[in-house]
Amino acid sequence: MRKHRTPEQWQALVDQQRDSGLSAPQFCKQEGIGYASFCNWRKRLSDPSTDDSAGSGEASFLDLSSLMGSSPSSGPGWNIVLSLGNGVELRLSQNG
């Protein structure tokens, strides 16, 4: 049966492996840990972009009302390009 560990438990294992002087495969074999799982968690815990607050799937919003100005004569219109990846872009523009 698989044991489910918390991120804190995985961090402790990553720290133990680093301090043990053993290679990751040797450490995993000794501790009875799946090597692929260990590597996955080691990467997740070392990569700040995968923090719980980032990439959590929560929507965030950007208020664009400041770009619109208070009157039509307040300046030129705006042009916004949102790059979605894989060459896909969403373009927003305002005419005069």
Side-chain angles (χ1 to χ4, degrees):
M1 181 160 171
R2 292 176 55 174
K3 180 177 181 180
H4 293 282
R5 294 177 174 89
T6 66
E8 292 78 16
Q9 290 171 320
W10 278 109
Q11 183 64 61
L13 288 168
V14 168
D15 294 342
Q16 287 174 15
Q17 183 273 322
R18 183 189 61 234
D19 297 339
S20 72
L22 296 173
S23 69
Q26 290 171 329
F27 179 81
C28 291
K29 185 175 182 179
Q30 175 182 304
E31 297 296 319
I33 301 168
Y35 177 65
S37 294
F38 178 83
C39 291
N40 179 38
W41 275 100
R42 182 175 57 185
K43 181 179 184 330
R44 287 176 66 182
L45 294 167
S46 69
D47 188 354
S49 68
T50 59
D51 189 6
D52 288 341
S53 62
S56 64
E58 292 182 22
S60 54
F61 295 91
L62 175 62
D63 183 3
L64 300 178
S65 62
S66 63
L67 297 175
M68 298 173 71
S70 58
S71 69
S73 62
S74 65
W78 43 265
N79 182 23
I80 299 171
V81 178
L82 177 62
S83 296
L84 303 173
N86 294 328
V88 178
E89 294 181 340
L90 173 62
R91 295 178 180 266
L92 306 171
S93 55
Q94 180 183 25
N95 295 327

